[in-house]
Each structure stands twice: as structure tokens, then as C-alpha cells.
């Protein structure tokens, strides 16, 4: 596997570079009979697009998605859904300087080490623009989840020292914040912090939290196919992520068992519930029916405008000063990418999980004709 | 995929429950010509075994590994290596009480939700004993890595509030601490903390750090096959893990780009080096030649002896009091499991990475006969 | 993938050599709730065992299967089912002569070319004994198929020039023939032919036909996941197979479209039927509800007792004369292997096929809790 | 897996329908540094294109390939190569009649059974036009093979009763025959036969043979990953194939071991050779260094212009008469498809095979940096 294919049964294959023809994705294993048009996909891409606020690059790329296959008379046919977003605004600028040295915090050096050379225009395949394909596929996954009553929502939980507070935020407020921080007070404070760092030609990091609600219990496979392992792996594949945690996460290090165990109880409808959710909705790698809670740490944008020491391809020490348009903060546009990776992973695990019990398989095939 | 197979090219398939015949693993894709005997595997299993210290259960299981296939005249043949560790000390005790209710923090409820029933003896497949198969396979992976000059070492970095301090530890001290905390002062303090919690019939959490040295640059695939994504996914598949981070990890949330970017420089031998290693040895999902640094957060053992509220299979609220033998802390025995998952993942990625350049493939096949 | 793992969702991993500890298989992805004991597996292994007739080696190996995991209180738990058959009758004979040269028609040379050396005792991993693991796993697959009303049966259709005739055979007669040729007249003639060839220290080839009945329409994936492609690939993985055909098979080369197309009609119960079955139950790679018909050509046993020219490991021309016990005909014992590979493939494709329609997925998850 | 992704390490993902936007393929795992332009791909597509002779449909589609990603400055970068061929000549004709019934010998009924409905325009995903993506990817595979000294060539061996004779054909003559039958006498006879069948509004079947030369010994994995199993599975995934055989193929049924075993000898250069090649270049699933010989049986085109009995979607018996443009023979255009599937499979197996020996892996990584 060379790394651009993901999934066991619901499988996506992405392609494209930041400055080539465009970015695309092929979704193989998409069930037949889902109503699907480009209007279902576009809003997700729009949330990822640059140029939405002063904190993202003003590139104003259209990022218009086209569905090229797998849909007939408005519904998916069960065959691969191919989608493409053409690159429209990349400038034919001179990248020869970038070609020559290795930007700190970027994949320039490692791509050269791996492949012997690289497509240096705007980062090529290691550009954040690569996530466009993930988001397009994620929109289909979100539609499938919605049919099963499952919702996936993410937001910027933290930027620098500013953290959204429980009880001070609602999902409705996410889009009211240019940083997608629904605690609007903290969002404003974070904006001040960010503007200061921008003046200093610097960038900032943060945390995105993703909540899955409506998840049935029993999804995820023991041992290597654990639901949390699959989610961690797929979210860690987003370029700038340096950490992933579920439920109580790293805080468990300082907790005791009595404080961390979630007690079970029966609710009024006779369902098994947990009094707390430190587990983050997953026990033993299998969903427990509670909300799934995931957090991912994003590093500050490595493209900063300060002079930085580095080396060039000739093996000489040098100093670089990056120019151009770069977001000083990754999270606001990455929120939808986290949702996409979560949705894609959940659909794949839900599909694999359909074969866990012989009685259900017998019912399934017994009900056919 | 039902979850007990891992790897693309170097593939392992594990099986077994805590109270069945035993635990086993089949390694498919193990290259021919590696000298291998049971003595190569046993030390890894011994580090995982219970009964080593007062902080692990006194079960004294032998955990003797047997190699059943794939080795001939002392060397691997290239065909699957099957290994088994028989369960020798499980008691034929009465588990009927455990069968009836769901232990908080355990997978009892989710296994029932998924499969309709479960092997309730000692946790069955969700027992920590399942990791025995991973460790046996990890020992082979470690041998392969050693042949390539790569070393994988882990230790307990944190227990409760006690954290190993840089400059206060050496690898040699890991085994001197019953907690595998090489900062022996912190280890002693952590022991006091742990003993207090044991008196309170409670358990503690912590963090394991794993360092990979000698890693060549250029390993890992872009997009979904990123080296850090693969490592995060595989380490998150260890039962008690609730978070994984690489390099600076979650600390990046409060860092700026100028503080987080690692500058490149040329060393005296003409190699590209990084002045710092906040990246944790991976840039753009590809190894940069520096040490790989991974940390995993382990929750406190969910088996505690205090009474806990829960529900039973009949859907009634009840109170449980767990009995038997359970480690009050997971990390000391999990250190070798983290090493195993890291080693297995690295070998698979190193093998996949052999096909990244046409010139090297041409040389490879050109050199054959 | 190093080749001993098969399946996308219903996955088996086999291991073992003819003269090592034994042969085993791990079945990952076996649904929970299937009643399973060793008595379900053993009859399949007995059909594969040597020593059943004068046309198979008299080794009288017990081939007793043991289930080591994945079953609790008589039912599968959903976790991996590990099974092993110990090698009991291998002699500690001197194989040093075999080690030195390459037997014609065997994998001795190619194993050496691939791995640099080989386990030369009795063929090692390339021995027909390797199929024991397939048959054990196939028995579980057959149980799953039986729960869905699907039956898989194979027989020896041809040995040398002797071919079973339509209308002259019943399934009940398969076991009445020592060659598993249910046309008992042809079986007798084939016995005479075989005995003649045995006297000449020679061996014979033939064809096995496998029929799947009760298969629902709609199973198999377009393009690379076609049901016939999956069946062909898995049956071709049996050691001695040199050809596979479905339905009319190679005869289509001399047919016309008007003679080869199967006309559709409605039967009395209102089901779509085909007037003929030249398609062999598969159209466009998807089952059409009719019987699936597969044939595989088996080469004559390469181990013959005549002197043969070959080369040794030192690169010198030489002559070999194979000794020991070798079946002069492969088909009678391979019948159950063909059934096993067919069953394993069908289960995997049936499981993957559960995700082809959104309405069915919605029903499936809607019916849970 | 929903079936449009193939390969373990060299992985392709195809998409597209006969009457949608176009047909495409994404190649993931293509090594970096291969010179690649659209001119490398186009000749392969041209050989598959309709309108080449009077025996193929006169659609005159351009089938112009565009490379959309993965190539920079004329060389592959190691990232996914996406290619597309737009559909240019599909007519906006009325397909409502086709939509209503099931054409005999086609996948109309099985697609409906599987997915509940289908894209009925020109066969949709089950159209032979789907193979365009395979051929484009196969062209890249052929380039990789060429760099390793391996050549893959196929031709029409048989049409109806007319069979190319050994000694009467050369590779140079393949393109001189409108049927790609290099025995030009037989080709002429086959043309007569074909014209007769066309007059009768009928179609004809045949056999394609593919020869791989320059293959190194030692490629292919034991058990399920056998080289012949992989080739059989991938070639059987071509729509009209009903049988695949390697080397002596089905003829082994009537052979004896003494006649079928290939004797080994040392050639003048000190290489191990086989006196004959009944094995077809593969022993024990591993290449033996000799030519690989594969044959595939193709059914006659199911689209014939005679009236045929069938049923409609309403479940009524009816009669259909297919109209439009349909090749009366599949083989001439399928020759390059067989080559493509062979090449794709070989590259994947060659890549996987790089990890079979520890000494070679050590050399590989030892030689880096």
C-alpha cells in the first residue's frame, strides 16, 4: 500500500497535488440507492475552502466539486463514485527558490529522502489542499451516517491558551466564530492572540474536538480493529496532527480507577447508560452507545514569514524567508477535515460490523426475496 | 476485516483468550534467513509476564513460547511463523457472577452488545493477556529492525503526578525500577503513591514513552499511510490506551510556529540534521532520520476492589465488587507491548517503503543473479 | 502480503509444514453464535486424509483437529477461531538426498530461488499437506453457508480419458468410488487406467467439478471483485491446479452467442430463471441465483518413481529417482479442498455483499435494539 | 471491498461507466522516477479502441487519455497517478427499452438483483468500456516491467475452430491481422467464419494467449499468494472470460506425470533451465525463470441481433431484439486488456516479493545513504 487508499469495505482512493490539475477521490464500496448530487458535497468543501475569513488565505479558489461516476438518475448505483475539484487559482509563479531548500516543519526534506525529488509547487501532495478529496468523500460518509441516525460534529476547542468552556457553547455558534470556536468569548480572546502572533509573523496551534452522537452500541472489532484505533489512525493521517485522544484522553494519567470508571445504570426506557463518559463512547474498542468524543492536537502552521535557518539541496546551511499566502492557523478549516475522517472511519467500521453475528446474517439473507 | 489481523506486507494474525487453551500469533511475511529460536522471543514475553513485582498479579504463569512453524535449521524459511503460549495457571473458578453483570470500564457490555454473548472468563479476548501474541510477534520484528540498525525502547514516563525528568534517567535504569520508571527518584515517589492507592482499593494511570533510534529517513507513505498515523493506530489498539502523541504532541496547541519548527543544519559528516526534534522524527508522515518519539496515555486499571454501581444482563441496577488478582497499574507490563506495536508497525512500513523509487527497484532486481 | 492470508472480511491465515509440528489455521471474522465443535470439522479432514484407499499414501495420519480458541459454551464467540492438526506420522528419515537436488514438477527450485534455502522435508510448506488448514477453515465456511441454505459439493469429473457422464451419476455415489467419481462405470475404467500407470511408475491427471446450489442472486462485486474472479483465484491457489473454468468454460471458444446465451424466463413461482446455465451461475461477476459450476484441472502428481533428469544445488546435471509414499492421483483427496476454497470464497463475498444497498443497511441497523 | 480496487502494494482503483463522464483510474504505489507522459499510455488505449477494423464497432471514440496527477517534470513523483479518458461519442439515444428487460448473457439482471436498479445506458459499469481504466494503468505497469527487462505480449490464439499453429506465427504479425491472430492463414480462415456468423446475426468466441518473457525466478508467494492464482484471478475479472489456464492447462487431465514433468538442466551459462515448459513458467506458485504462458477463454459477444427470449423488470416473459453497434468478436480488442491485467499483477507480485529475504532487505537499506 502506497498510502492514498483507506478503508476495508468502504474504501477511498485520493489523488492530486496543490498545483496540478486538481484534487480527486474515488469512493469504492458506496452502497446503491443514496440520493446524491453535487449540492450534497459542496457545503462541506466550502467549509474547508480558503478565503472565508481574514485568518485564511485569500486565494478564493472556487473548489467546485464535480461527480464523474457512480450516480444515475440522482442516486448512487453501487459502483465507484469519482469526484474531482479542479485547481483554478494556482499562480504560475516561480517556485525555483522553494525547490532548492527544505522548509522547516514541512515535508520537503522527507519527500526528497523518500523519492529522490519532489513536486515542490506549493507542497505538492503534502499540501493541506490534499484534504479536499477527504472532505468530498467525507460528505458521502456523512450522508450514509445520517440515514442511520448518526451525526458527526467538530469545532475548534482550543487556540493557544484559549479553551472553549463547557456550558459556554452551542453547536449553533460554531459558524458564528471566524475560528469555529463556539465559546464566543474565548473565540474573541483567541482572535486577539492570533492577530498579535500574525504581527510577529508567527502562527498558532490548537485543538479540535469531534463529537459523534446517535452511534449504536457494538461497532468496532476487538484487538487491531478497535474503533478508537481506527479513528486515531485516520485522524492522525491529517497533516498537522501531533496527538489524538479519546474521552478523558491524556488526563487518565493522573486519574484513579474509581474516578475514571463510568458506572452503568438503566434509564427510564430500559436502556443501558453510563453515568459519565470518560471512556468517550468506546469500551474495549467497541462503541458503547454513548457519544464518541475525540480530540486532535494541531501544530502551528509551519509556514511562517520570519527568517529561519535551514539547509539546501546542495547540503549547505542557509536561511529562508517564506513568502506567499499561508493561514496563520490551521484549525478553522481543519474542523471539517476531522469530521470527514471520523465519518469515513465510522462508515467502514459500521459496514464491517454487519457480519459479527450469525443470527443477523441469517436474517439479512433470509429477508432477501 | 474482523480485527485480529494487522499489517500490509508484514502481517500478523493473533488469537486466543485469557482462559482458553492459550494465546497465539501467526506471522506471515517474515523474510527468510533470520536466525530465530524460542530464546529470541522468551525475554520479551518475560517482560510482559505477571508476577514480576508486587505491583503485578502473582499468577506466575510460565508464558513459555513455542515456535510451531516457519523455522528450519535455526532460520526463518519465509513461510508463516506460528507461535503459541499455553495458558497454564487459569483457575477453574466460578465465573458465573461475572457473567451476569457488566464491569464498569470493561468491555463486558460492548461485547454483549456486539456478539449477543461473551466468553466471560477473565475477560476472554478483551483481556490484557491478549497482548501476549503481539509481544511474541514484536520480538521477531525487533530482530528484523536490529538487522537494519534500528532500536525500539520504551519506559514508563509518568504514573499519576510523577514524571520522569530529562537528565535524570538512563535506559540502563529502566529495569532497576519495579515500575520501569528510569528516573529512580520519581519511581520511588510513584511507588509510594501507588501503594496508597492500593490501600484505597484503587488503581492508577500513566504514560509510556517509546523512542526509536537508528531509523533511516524516507519511511512512511503520504496521506493515509503516514508513519505517525500507522503508529498511532497500532498503539491505540492496546486495550487501555486513551491517547497517543508524537514529538511535541498536545503541547503544540500552545506553541507558535517559530517555537515549534525544527531548524535544519548540516552536521560534520555532511548529513541533514534538525536542531530540535519537536516533530518527533516524522515530517509529513515520513521519517526524517531523527529519533521517533511516541507517548501513549494508559487509563488506570478498571478492575478495582471498591463497590461500584452497574447493571446486570437482566437490565437491573446493581452493585458489584470485583475480586481476584488484578494489577493496580498497567504501564510496567505494557512497556514491552508498546515496543512490540511500534516494532511491528515499523517493519511493515519499512517493507512497503522498498518500492518507492524505480531506481532502487531496478537495482534490487538487477542484483539478483 | 506474503501469501498465507486470504479473504477481505472472512479472513483465514494458515501455517505449517508437512514435517514440522503440524498444520494450523486462524479464522478471523467468523460470526458469533455458530454452534461449533471439533466433530463439525473432522469429517472434512477425514475426506482429505491419506490412507483411505489404495490410491492414496498409506500414511494413516490421524489428522485430528483441535479447536484452540474462539468457541465458548459450544458456540463461536466472534473472535478468531484457531485450529491445529498435529503431524503425527512423519518419519525422522534422512532427507539429505532430497535437499541436494530439484525434483521436476516440484517447487524445490523456485523455493530456493526465492528464499535462498528451503525446508526440504517432504516439501515443507509446498506440500499438499498444507491444504489441511484450508479444509479445516472450509468446514466452518460450509457451516455458515448451510445456515444460509447454500450447499457446495465437488467430485472427480475426469481422470485421464475417463469422464463422468451426465445422467450416469448422483451425489450419493461419490463416496462409493475410491476415486470420488460418481459415474461408477467410468470410475471402474479409470481405476484400470490408474493401476496400469502405477505399474509404469507413473501418475495421472484429471478434473474436479464443484457445484454450488442455493446461492442467492446478487453476490459478487463488479470489476476486480467478481465472484468468478474470486473463485478462480482461490481455486488456482491449490497446488496442482493448472486451469479453472466456470460454466461452459473453454468450450465457449467454439460457441456462438446464440448458442451460449442463456435465455431468461419466469417460473411458476414468479422467479427469474435461465433456460440453460452456460454462464455457470454468474453473470457480470455477480451470482444469478442458478447453480454455480466450476471445474479445475489437476496435473498428474509430479512425484513419480521413474528416473528423471534434473540438476542439483551445485549446478550439475544429475538423475533422480524419487522414493517414499506418494499418491499416484491427486483428485480424490483434492475434492474436499476444492469445496473448501469455494466455501471460503463464497462466505467472504456474501459478507462483503451485505453493504451493497442503502435500504438494506438501514433496515439492518434499524432492526438492532 | 466493493471490487474496483486491485493490488496489495501496486494498487489501482478504477471508476466510470460507458455513458457517463468518462472512465478513469488512480494508480497508488507507482514508484517515483519513471519517465511518463500521455504518449506512453495512448498506444495501449489505441489498441483497445473501437473502430479499428470492420470487426469492431465504428464508434470512433477518441479515447484520449489525460494524466491528472502524480507526474512532475516528466517523471512520476511516487504519489497517485490519476488518469481519465472522457466519453466523447456516446449518443443521447433512448435507452428506455433496454432499461425494461434483461438482455441474455448480460449483467442486467444480476445488477438489478444486487443493487435494486442499474445504470442501463450501454451497460454502465458492466460495459466492456470499463476496461479502459485497466489498460491505462497497465501501460504504466508495462513501463515498470520494461525497466526490469520483462515483456508481456498477448495475441488471439483461437477464434471458433481456427487456432494459431506453432511455427506459423511471429509477434510481428499480430498487428497485421485484423483479429490479432498472428498465424495469418488461420486469421484469414477465421475472418471467413466470422463474416458468416455476422451474416447470421451471431457472434463468436475464442482464446487469447499471453506470454511473459524475461521474468526472474522466485516471484510469487506460497499458498494463497501464488503467482498463477493472482494471474488467474485478475484475468478472470475481465468481463467475458470463462476460463483461464497456465502452461499445459486443461490438457494435464489426460497427461501422465512422466509426460508432464519438465526436466531441469544446466545451460551453457550455468543457469538452471527446463527442457520443456508444461508448467508455464510457474512451479509451486513461484516463477521459475521460464516464460509464463497464460490462456483465457472468451465467450462470444452476448449482444447479438437475433430475437431472444427473456423477461422484463415486471416479471413477464418477453422477446428482445438488440440494436446498435456491437463487436461480433471480443478477442482482438481484449488482447491488450489481457496484457494489462497480466502486467498489473506481475508488478504487484514483484513488489511484494522484495521482502522475501532478510539478506536482500539488509542490502537494500544498507545501500541507502
Amino acid at each position: 500500500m502506497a498510502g492514498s487508499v483507506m478503508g476495508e469495505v468502504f474504501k477511498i482512493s485520493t489523488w492530486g497535488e496543490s498545483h496540478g490539475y486538481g484534487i480527486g477521490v474515488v469512493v469504492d464500496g458506496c452502497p446503491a440507492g443514496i440520493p446524491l448530487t453535487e449540492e450534497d458535497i459542496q457545503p462541506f468543501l466550502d467549509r474547508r475552502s480558503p478565503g472565508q475569513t481574514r485568518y485564511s488565505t485569500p486565494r478564493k479558489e472556487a473548489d467546485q466539486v464535480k461527480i464523474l461516476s457512480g450516480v444515475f438518475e440522482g442516486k448512487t448505483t453501487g459502483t465507484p463514485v469519482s469526484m474531482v475539484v479542479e485547481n483554478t487559482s494556482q499562480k504560475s509563479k516561480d517556485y525555483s527558490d522553494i525547490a532548492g531548500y527544505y522548509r522547516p516543519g514541512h515535508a520537503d526534506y522527507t519527500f526528497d529522502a523518500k523519492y529522490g525529488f519532489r513536486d515542490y509547487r506549493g507542497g505538492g501532495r503534502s499540501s493541506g489542499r490534499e484534504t479536499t478529496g477527504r472532505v468530498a468523500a467525507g460528505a458521502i460518509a456523512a450522508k450514509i451516517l445520517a440515514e442511520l441516525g448518526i451525526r458527526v460534529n467538530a469545532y475548534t476547542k482550543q487556540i493557544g491558551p484559549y479553551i472553549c468552556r463547557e456550558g459556554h457553547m452551542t453547536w449553533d455558534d460554531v459558524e458564528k466564530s471566524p475560528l469555529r470556536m463556539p465559546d464566543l468569548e474565548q473565540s474573541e480572546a483567541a482572535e486577539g492572540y492570533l492577530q498579535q502572533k500574525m504581527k510577529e509573523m508567527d502562527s498558532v496551534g490548537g485543538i479540535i474536538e469531534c463529537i459523534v452522537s446517535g452511534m449504536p452500541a457494538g461497532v468496532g472489532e476487538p484487538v487491531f480493529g478497535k474503533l478508537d484505533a481506527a479513528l486515531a489512525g485516520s485522524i492522525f493521517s491529517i497533516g498537522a496532527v501531533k496527538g489524538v485522544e479519546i474521552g478523558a484522553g491524556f488526563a487518565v494519567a493522573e486519574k484513579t480507577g474509581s474516578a475514571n470508571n463510568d458506572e452503568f445504570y438503566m434509564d427510564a426506557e430500559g436502556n443501558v447508560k453510563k453515568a459519565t463518559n470518560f471512556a468517550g463512547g468506546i469500551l474495549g474498542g467497541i462503541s458503547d452507545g454513548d457519544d464518541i468524543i475525540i480530540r486532535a492536537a494541531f501544530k502551528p502552521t509551519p509556514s511562517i514569514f520570519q527568517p529561519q535557518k535551514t539547509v539546501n539541496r546542495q547540503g549547505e546551511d542557509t536561511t529562508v524567508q517564506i513568502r506567499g499566502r499561508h493561514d496563520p492557523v490551521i484549525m478553522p478549516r481543519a474542523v471539517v477535515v476531522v469530521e470527514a475522517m471520523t465519518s469515513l472511519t465510522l462508515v467502514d467500521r459500521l459496514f464491517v460490523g454487519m457480519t459479527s453475528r450469525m443470527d443477523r446474517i441469517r436474517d439479512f439473507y433470509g429477508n432477501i426475496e
Side-chain angles (χ1 to χ4, degrees), chain A residues 171-250:
Chain A
W171 287 117
D172 289 344
D173 286 345
V174 173
E175 293 300 317
K176 290 181 189 156
S177 155
L179 300 172
R180 294 204 164 92
M181 283 185 88
D183 178 338
L184 299 178
E185 264 180 61
Q186 291 293 299
S187 176
E188 210 175 307
E191 281 197 75
Y193 168 76
L194 178 57
Q195 286 166 20
Q196 178 59 33
K197 294 301 168 191
M198 288 168 76
K199 270 184 214 147
E200 297 166 9
M201 299 194 294
D202 217 333
S203 61
V204 306
I207 291 174
I208 288 175
E209 184 168 83
C210 184
I211 311 281
V212 181
S213 57
M215 188 72 188
V219 178
E221 308 299 318
V223 186
F224 308 120
K226 286 191 168 80
L227 185 55
D228 37 2
L231 288 165
S234 71
I235 290 171
F236 229 114
S237 77
I238 303 170
V241 169
K242 298 304 286 184
V244 172
E245 57 182 14
I246 308 269
F250 272 86

Side-chain angles (χ1 to χ4, degrees), chain A residues 53-68:
Chain A
T53 73
R54 58 186 297 192
Y55 308 117
S56 72
T57 61
R59 268 175 290 188
K60 299 277 180 211
E61 300 164 32
D63 274 359
Q64 287 292 328
V65 69
K66 279 191 257 183
I67 297 175
L68 305 183

Side-chain angles (χ1 to χ4, degrees), chain A residues 11-216:
Chain A
K11 201 168 274 198
I12 70 168
S13 180
T14 74
W15 57 269
E17 290 88 27
S18 60
H19 283 65
Y21 170 82
I23 304 281
V25 63
V26 183
V27 182
D28 188 30
C30 185
I34 305 171
L36 188 73
T37 70
E38 282 142 3
E39 282 68 48
D40 292 306
I41 313 294
Q42 197 60 48
F44 288 80
L45 291 172
D46 291 345
R47 286 205 287 144
R48 202 213 67 89
S49 283
Q52 305 171 72
T53 73
R54 58 186 297 192
Y55 308 117
S56 72
T57 61
R59 268 175 290 188
K60 299 277 180 211
E61 300 164 32
D63 274 359
Q64 287 292 328
V65 69
K66 279 191 257 183
I67 297 175
L68 305 183
S69 70
V71 176
F72 180 61
E73 297 182 342
K75 286 186 299 182
T76 55
T77 61
T79 60
V81 180
S82 177
M83 296 182 284
V84 68
V85 173
E86 289 179 31
N87 292 332
T88 55
S89 76
Q90 74 271 35
K91 292 215 204 130
S92 59
K93 77 171 211 182
D94 184 7
Y95 283 97
S96 51
D97 54 337
I98 294 179
Y101 56 75
Y102 301 132
R103 289 169 297 167
H106 279 272
D108 299 343
Y109 169 63
T110 53
F111 265 67
D112 259 20
K114 181 176 188 66
Y115 296 120
F117 79 119
R118 70 183 196 278
D119 180 349
Y120 45 73
R121 300 165 303 164
R125 184 75 178 144
S126 69
S127 163
R129 187 156 175 74
E130 162 268 312
T131 59
T132 304
R134 306 180 188 225
V135 171
I140 295 179
K143 277 212 88 164
I144 294 171
L145 293 176
E147 296 238 21
L148 304 177
I150 301 167
R151 293 165 305 286
V152 176
N153 289 293
Y155 68 99
T156 306
K157 186 178 188 71
Q158 177 174 353
I159 286 184
Y162 301 97
I163 306 177
C164 290
R165 297 159 298 173
E166 296 246 355
H168 289 74
M169 52 183 178
T170 68
W171 287 117
D172 289 344
D173 286 345
V174 173
E175 293 300 317
K176 290 181 189 156
S177 155
L179 300 172
R180 294 204 164 92
M181 283 185 88
D183 178 338
L184 299 178
E185 264 180 61
Q186 291 293 299
S187 176
E188 210 175 307
E191 281 197 75
Y193 168 76
L194 178 57
Q195 286 166 20
Q196 178 59 33
K197 294 301 168 191
M198 288 168 76
K199 270 184 214 147
E200 297 166 9
M201 299 194 294
D202 217 333
S203 61
V204 306
I207 291 174
I208 288 175
E209 184 168 83
C210 184
I211 311 281
V212 181
S213 57
M215 188 72 188

Side-chain angles (χ1 to χ4, degrees), chain A residues 358-369:
Chain A
M358 194 65 224
D359 55 351
R360 292 181 183 165
I361 297 167
R362 206 187 302 114
D363 287 352
F364 182 92
Y365 277 108
N367 290 336
I368 294 179
E369 90 231 76

